[in-house]
Amino acid sequence: MPDLGEGIAEVELVAWHVKPGDAVAEDQVLADVMTDKAAVEIPSAVAGTVVALGGEVGQMMAVGAELIRIELHGAHPAVAPAAPSPLAPNLPVTEPRQSRSITAPGGSQRPIASPAVRSRAWDLDIDLKDVAASGTAGRVMQADLDAHVVRGGPRTASATPVATPRAAAQGAATQSIKIVGLRRKIAQKMQESKRRIPHFSYVEEVDVTAVEALRAQLNARWGEQRGHLTLLPLLIRAMVLALREHPQLNARFDDELGVVTQHAAVHVGIATQTDMGLLVPVLRDAQAHDLWANAAEVVRLAGVARSGRAVRDELTGSTITLTSLGRLGGIVSTPVINHPEVAIVGVNRIVARPVVVDGVIVVRQMMNLSSSFDHRVIDGVDAAKFVQALRGGLEHPALLFIE
């Protein structure tokens, strides 16, 4: 495993592009690995034939560990040093190709398999010695069990043709999906946030009738020349102004050092759903730009995130995060704080419903803000005041343009 720089000591193996027996050319991509921030393609520095793979998908590998063994043309098998590769932004995680078994099934040696595979084989009454292995060094994989069942491979003598409720349940179609690459990083990030941060959630309803009317007027007047505005840039503007009054919310908390760093610049993380999972590209210096500039940057960031082209600087350094599921936003949510930030603002869907205004029942456009705060450093009263400041800006949008 080559040294990828930036102090990286280990990486996760997320995909193989070759298998034992394949001929490889110099600079051909052998595998994809995931660092803390990005996926990286590992090319071959030599030409030859693949003898063995040094790890399985999902395995953590130290820099300098044997990644792959390649037999050079006219030479004995040797470890081929892979050339360093520049960081590639969030490559999609692909399923590894099937690798050829190195040891024949049915031999006298005990088959190699993980505890999960052995447990499933036991439940299916399958002897692992009868299963054609496709993993490294003859390891039996979950996919090998699936293929064995599809082919109608032999079961053990204890297998019974009598249909029982348990057997019927086991016969139902299942799919085992290993969590690797970016999906694994997201899982670790969420787990770390919930493990470290005592979340305090606060929900408030907001009458967005006036700000929605303003948005419609701005789009009618400037939409063609400056671009279409959604509610997000107006909400970001309201956040910028609210954070001036409550700067302790625009912060990052290093809980190991016990230091809270407050930021003057507002770098808003925009939670974005992609085919690879949830990414949070960063709208930098939101306080320094107008509505249309922020709107265009949000669209650009969402595009590069969903296409897998976001670079490291576009995915790091946020000071507060904004998350929205759009029309799927529901009534209330409990968003997870983007560690090490101390606050996240969640947007629920807008609905028209009757409310009482000055003693009269009228139909208004209503939306809930569901926000979460790090209760170690943010008191409930400060969180509430911040959300009420947001509410004030959205319900009286003229205030958004008063410095």
Side-chain angles (χ1 to χ4, degrees), residues 301-361:
L301 289 169
V304 296
R306 294 188 176 115
S307 67
R309 293 183 287 107
V311 298
R312 182 185 297 267
D313 286 346
E314 293 171 325
L315 296 171
T316 58
S318 55
T319 56
I320 190 170
T321 292
L322 176 63
T323 181
S324 170
L325 288 174
R327 295 179 180 178
L328 299 175
I331 299 173
V332 173
S333 57
T334 54
V336 179
I337 296 170
N338 185 20
H339 180 269
E341 297 165 24
V342 301
I344 183 171
V345 176
V347 180
N348 299 116
R349 71 171 179 262
I350 298 174
V351 295
R353 59 181 179 85
V355 297
V356 177
V357 178
D358 296 329
V360 179
I361 297 176

Side-chain angles (χ1 to χ4, degrees), residues 103 145 154 385 389:
T103 63
L145 288 181
K385 287 180 179 178

